[in-house]
Coordinates of all heavy atoms in Angstrom, one line a residue:
G196 N -61.7 99.4 10.7 CA -61.6 98.5 11.7 C -60.3 98.3 12.4 O -60.1 97.3 13.1
G197 N -59.4 99.3 12.2 CA -58.1 99.1 12.8 C -57.4 100.4 12.9 O -57.9 101.5 12.7
L198 N -56.1 100.3 13.2 CA -55.2 101.5 13.5 C -54.3 101.7 12.4 O -53.7 100.8 12.0 CB -54.5 101.3 14.9 CG -55.2 101.2 16.2 CD1 -56.1 99.9 16.3 CD2 -54.2 101.3 17.4
P199 N -54.0 102.9 12.1 CA -52.9 103.2 11.1 C -51.5 102.9 11.7 O -51.1 103.4 12.7 CB -53.1 104.7 10.8 CG -53.7 105.2 12.0 CD -54.6 104.2 12.6
D200 N -50.8 102.0 11.0 CA -49.4 101.6 11.4 C -48.5 102.2 10.3 O -48.7 103.3 9.8 CB -49.3 100.2 11.6 CG -48.3 99.8 12.6 OD1 -47.2 100.4 12.6 OD2 -48.4 98.8 13.4
G201 N -47.5 101.4 9.9 CA -46.5 101.9 9.0 C -47.1 102.2 7.6 O -48.0 101.5 7.2
S202 N -46.6 103.3 6.9 CA -47.1 103.7 5.7 C -46.0 104.0 4.6 O -44.8 104.1 5.0 CB -47.8 105.0 5.8 OG -49.0 104.8 6.7
A203 N -46.3 104.0 3.3 CA -45.4 104.3 2.3 C -46.2 105.1 1.2 O -47.4 105.0 1.1 CB -44.8 103.1 1.7
V204 N -45.4 106.0 0.5 CA -46.0 106.8 -0.6 C -45.5 106.4 -1.9 O -44.3 106.1 -2.1 CB -45.7 108.3 -0.3 CG1 -46.3 109.2 -1.4 CG2 -46.2 108.8 1.0
D205 N -46.4 106.3 -2.9 CA -46.0 105.8 -4.2 C -45.7 107.1 -5.1 O -45.8 108.2 -4.7 CB -47.0 105.0 -4.9 CG -48.3 105.6 -5.3 OD1 -48.3 106.8 -5.4 OD2 -49.3 104.9 -5.4
A206 N -45.2 106.8 -6.3 CA -44.8 107.9 -7.2 C -45.9 108.9 -7.6 O -45.6 110.0 -7.9 CB -44.1 107.4 -8.5
D207 N -47.1 108.5 -7.4 CA -48.3 109.3 -7.8 C -48.7 110.1 -6.5 O -49.7 110.9 -6.6 CB -49.4 108.6 -8.3 CG -49.1 108.0 -9.7 OD1 -48.3 108.6 -10.4 OD2 -49.6 106.9 -10.0
G208 N -48.1 109.9 -5.4 CA -48.5 110.6 -4.2 C -49.6 109.9 -3.4 O -50.1 110.4 -2.3
T209 N -50.0 108.7 -3.7 CA -50.9 107.9 -3.0 C -50.2 107.3 -1.7 O -49.2 106.8 -1.8 CB -51.5 106.8 -3.8 OG1 -52.2 107.4 -4.9 CG2 -52.5 105.9 -3.0
V210 N -50.9 107.4 -0.6 CA -50.4 106.9 0.7 C -51.0 105.6 1.0 O -52.2 105.4 1.1 CB -50.7 107.9 1.8 CG1 -50.0 107.5 3.1 CG2 -50.3 109.3 1.5
W211 N -50.1 104.6 1.1 CA -50.5 103.2 1.4 C -50.2 102.9 2.9 O -49.1 103.0 3.3 CB -49.6 102.3 0.5 CG -49.9 102.5 -0.9 CD1 -49.4 103.4 -1.7 CD2 -50.7 101.6 -1.7 NE1 -50.0 103.3 -3.0 CE2 -50.7 102.2 -3.1 CE3 -51.5 100.4 -1.5 CZ2 -51.4 101.6 -4.1 CZ3 -52.2 99.8 -2.6 CH2 -52.1 100.4 -3.9
V212 N -51.3 102.6 3.6 CA -51.3 102.5 5.0 C -51.6 101.1 5.5 O -52.6 100.5 5.1 CB -52.3 103.5 5.7 CG1 -52.2 103.5 7.2 CG2 -52.2 104.9 5.1
S213 N -50.7 100.5 6.3 CA -51.1 99.2 6.9 C -52.0 99.5 8.0 O -51.8 100.3 9.0 CB -49.8 98.6 7.4 OG -49.1 99.4 8.3
V214 N -53.2 98.8 8.1 CA -54.2 99.0 9.1 C -54.2 97.8 10.0 O -54.7 96.8 9.8 CB -55.6 99.2 8.5 CG1 -56.7 99.6 9.5 CG2 -55.6 100.3 7.3
F215 N -53.4 98.1 11.1 CA -53.2 97.1 12.2 C -54.5 96.7 12.8 O -55.4 97.5 13.1 CB -52.3 97.7 13.2 CG -51.8 96.8 14.3 CD1 -50.8 95.9 14.1 CD2 -52.5 97.0 15.6 CE1 -50.5 95.0 15.2 CE2 -52.0 96.1 16.6 CZ -51.1 95.1 16.5
E216 N -54.6 95.4 13.1 CA -55.8 94.7 13.6 C -56.9 94.5 12.6 O -57.8 93.7 12.9 CB -56.4 95.4 14.9 CG -55.4 95.3 16.1 CD -56.0 95.9 17.4 OE1 -57.0 96.7 17.3 OE2 -55.6 95.4 18.4
A217 N -56.9 95.2 11.4 CA -57.9 94.9 10.5 C -57.4 94.0 9.3 O -58.2 93.6 8.5 CB -58.3 96.3 9.9
G218 N -56.1 93.8 9.3 CA -55.6 93.0 8.2 C -55.8 93.6 6.8 O -56.1 92.8 5.8
R219 N -55.7 94.9 6.7 CA -56.0 95.6 5.5 C -54.8 96.6 5.2 O -54.2 97.1 6.1 CB -57.3 96.3 5.6 CG -58.5 95.4 5.6 CD -59.7 96.2 5.9 NE -61.0 95.4 5.6 CZ -62.2 95.8 6.0 NH1 -62.4 96.9 6.7 NH2 -63.3 95.0 5.7
I220 N -54.7 96.9 3.9 CA -53.8 98.0 3.5 C -54.7 99.0 2.8 O -55.5 98.6 1.8 CB -52.7 97.5 2.5 CG1 -51.8 96.5 3.3 CG2 -51.9 98.8 2.0 CD1 -50.8 95.8 2.3
A221 N -54.7 100.2 3.2 CA -55.6 101.2 2.6 C -54.8 102.2 1.8 O -53.7 102.6 2.2 CB -56.3 102.0 3.7
A222 N -55.3 102.5 0.6 CA -54.5 103.5 -0.3 C -55.4 104.7 -0.4 O -56.5 104.7 -0.9 CB -54.4 102.8 -1.7
Y223 N -54.8 105.9 0.1 CA -55.5 107.1 0.1 C -54.8 108.0 -1.0 O -53.5 108.2 -0.9 CB -55.4 107.8 1.5 CG -56.1 107.1 2.5 CD1 -55.5 106.2 3.4 CD2 -57.5 107.3 2.8 CE1 -56.1 105.5 4.4 CE2 -58.1 106.7 3.8 CZ -57.5 105.7 4.6 OH -58.1 105.2 5.6
R224 N -55.6 108.6 -1.8 CA -55.1 109.6 -2.7 C -54.5 110.9 -1.9 O -54.8 111.0 -0.8 CB -56.2 110.1 -3.7 CG -56.7 108.9 -4.6 CD -55.7 108.4 -5.5 NE -55.2 109.4 -6.4 CZ -54.2 109.2 -7.4 NH1 -53.6 107.9 -7.4 NH2 -53.8 110.1 -8.2
S225 N -53.8 111.7 -2.6 CA -53.2 112.8 -1.9 C -54.3 113.8 -1.4 O -53.9 114.7 -0.5 CB -52.3 113.6 -2.8 OG -52.9 114.0 -4.1
D226 N -55.5 113.7 -1.9 CA -56.6 114.6 -1.3 C -57.3 113.9 -0.2 O -58.3 114.4 0.3 CB -57.6 115.0 -2.4 CG -58.2 113.8 -3.0 OD1 -58.0 112.6 -2.6 OD2 -59.0 114.0 -4.1
G227 N -56.8 112.8 0.3 CA -57.5 112.1 1.4 C -58.5 111.1 1.0 O -59.0 110.4 1.9
R228 N -58.8 111.0 -0.3 CA -59.9 110.1 -0.7 C -59.3 108.6 -0.7 O -58.3 108.3 -1.1 CB -60.3 110.4 -2.1 CG -61.3 109.5 -2.7 CD -61.9 110.0 -4.0 NE -60.8 110.3 -5.0 CZ -60.3 109.5 -5.9 NH1 -60.7 108.3 -5.9 NH2 -59.3 109.9 -6.7
L229 N -60.2 107.7 -0.1 CA -59.8 106.3 -0.1 C -60.0 105.7 -1.4 O -61.2 105.6 -1.9 CB -60.7 105.6 1.0 CG -60.5 104.1 1.1 CD1 -59.0 103.8 1.6 CD2 -61.4 103.4 2.1
E230 N -59.0 105.2 -2.0 CA -59.1 104.8 -3.4 C -59.2 103.2 -3.4 O -60.0 102.7 -4.3 CB -57.8 105.1 -4.2 CG -57.8 104.6 -5.6 CD -56.6 105.1 -6.4 OE1 -56.7 106.2 -7.0 OE2 -55.6 104.4 -6.5
R231 N -58.6 102.4 -2.6 CA -58.7 101.1 -2.6 C -58.3 100.4 -1.3 O -57.5 101.0 -0.6 CB -58.0 100.4 -3.8 CG -56.4 100.6 -3.7 CD -55.7 100.5 -5.0 NE -55.8 99.1 -5.6 CZ -55.0 98.7 -6.5 NH1 -54.2 99.5 -7.1 NH2 -55.1 97.4 -7.0
V232 N -58.7 99.2 -1.1 CA -58.4 98.5 0.1 C -57.9 97.0 -0.3 O -58.5 96.4 -1.0 CB -59.6 98.3 1.1 CG1 -59.1 97.5 2.3 CG2 -60.0 99.8 1.5
I233 N -56.8 96.7 0.2 CA -56.2 95.3 -0.1 C -56.4 94.5 1.2 O -56.0 94.8 2.3 CB -54.7 95.4 -0.4 CG1 -54.4 96.4 -1.5 CG2 -54.2 94.0 -0.8 CD1 -55.1 96.1 -2.8
E234 N -57.0 93.3 1.1 CA -57.3 92.4 2.2 C -56.1 91.5 2.3 O -55.7 90.8 1.4 CB -58.6 91.6 2.0 CG -59.8 92.4 1.8 CD -60.3 93.0 3.1 OE1 -59.8 92.6 4.2 OE2 -61.2 93.9 3.1
M235 N -55.5 91.5 3.5 CA -54.3 90.6 3.8 C -54.7 89.4 4.5 O -55.8 89.3 5.1 CB -53.3 91.4 4.6 CG -52.7 92.6 3.9 SD -51.7 92.1 2.4 CE -50.3 91.3 3.2
P236 N -53.9 88.3 4.4 CA -54.3 87.0 5.1 C -54.1 87.0 6.6 O -54.5 86.0 7.3 CB -53.3 86.0 4.4 CG -52.1 86.9 4.0 CD -52.6 88.2 3.7
V237 N -53.5 88.0 7.2 CA -53.4 88.0 8.7 C -53.8 89.4 9.2 O -53.9 90.4 8.4 CB -51.9 87.7 9.1 CG1 -51.6 86.3 8.8 CG2 -51.0 88.7 8.6
K238 N -54.2 89.6 10.4 CA -54.8 90.8 11.0 C -53.8 91.8 11.4 O -54.0 93.0 11.2 CB -55.7 90.4 12.2 CG -56.9 89.6 11.8 CD -57.9 90.4 10.9 CE -59.1 89.5 10.6 NZ -59.9 90.2 9.7
L239 N -52.7 91.4 12.0 CA -51.7 92.3 12.6 C -50.6 92.7 11.6 O -49.4 92.3 11.8 CB -51.1 91.7 13.9 CG -52.1 91.3 14.9 CD1 -51.4 91.0 16.3 CD2 -53.2 92.4 15.2
I240 N -51.0 93.4 10.6 CA -49.9 93.9 9.7 C -49.4 95.2 10.2 O -50.1 96.0 10.9 CB -50.5 94.1 8.3 CG1 -51.7 95.1 8.3 CG2 -51.0 92.8 7.7 CD1 -52.2 95.4 6.8
S241 N -48.1 95.5 9.9 CA -47.5 96.6 10.7 C -46.7 97.6 9.9 O -46.5 98.8 10.3 CB -46.5 96.0 11.7 OG -45.6 95.1 11.1
S242 N -46.2 97.2 8.7 CA -45.5 98.3 8.0 C -45.5 97.9 6.4 O -45.7 96.7 6.2 CB -44.0 98.4 8.4 OG -43.2 97.4 8.1
V243 N -45.3 98.8 5.6 CA -45.2 98.5 4.1 C -44.0 99.3 3.5 O -43.6 100.4 4.1 CB -46.5 99.0 3.4 CG1 -47.7 98.1 3.9 CG2 -46.9 100.4 3.7
A244 N -43.5 98.8 2.4 CA -42.5 99.4 1.7 C -42.4 98.9 0.2 O -42.6 97.8 0.1 CB -41.1 99.1 2.3
F245 N -42.3 99.9 -0.7 CA -42.2 99.5 -2.1 C -40.8 99.0 -2.4 O -39.8 99.7 -2.0 CB -42.6 100.7 -3.0 CG -44.1 100.9 -3.0 CD1 -44.7 101.9 -2.3 CD2 -44.9 100.2 -3.9 CE1 -46.1 102.1 -2.4 CE2 -46.2 100.4 -3.9 CZ -46.9 101.3 -3.2
G246 N -40.7 97.9 -3.1 CA -39.3 97.4 -3.4 C -39.4 96.6 -4.8 O -40.3 96.8 -5.5
G247 N -38.3 95.9 -5.0 CA -38.2 95.3 -6.3 C -37.4 96.1 -7.3 O -37.3 97.4 -7.1
P248 N -36.9 95.6 -8.4 CA -36.1 96.4 -9.3 C -36.9 97.5 -9.9 O -36.3 98.6 -10.2 CB -35.8 95.3 -10.4 CG -35.8 94.0 -9.7 CD -36.9 94.1 -8.7
A249 N -38.3 97.4 -10.0 CA -39.1 98.4 -10.6 C -39.9 99.2 -9.5 O -40.7 100.0 -9.8 CB -40.1 97.9 -11.7
L250 N -39.6 98.9 -8.3 CA -40.3 99.5 -7.1 C -41.8 99.3 -7.2 O -42.6 100.1 -6.8 CB -40.0 100.9 -7.0 CG -38.5 101.3 -6.6 CD1 -38.3 102.8 -6.7 CD2 -38.2 100.8 -5.2

Side-chain angles (χ1 to χ4, degrees):
L198 294 68
D200 208 324
S202 299
V204 178
D205 69 23
D207 292 329
T209 297
V210 185
W211 295 77
V212 185
S213 57
V214 186
F215 182 79
E216 293 188 333
R219 291 169 164 170
I220 299 168
Y223 295 93
R224 299 295 298 177
S225 58
D226 60 4
R228 176 172 54 88
L229 179 62
E230 181 174 272
R231 62 199 296 193
V232 175
I233 307 299
E234 301 285 346
M235 295 295 294
V237 297
K238 296 296 183 185
L239 302 188
I240 61 173
S241 53
S242 74
V243 293
F245 284 99
L250 293 172

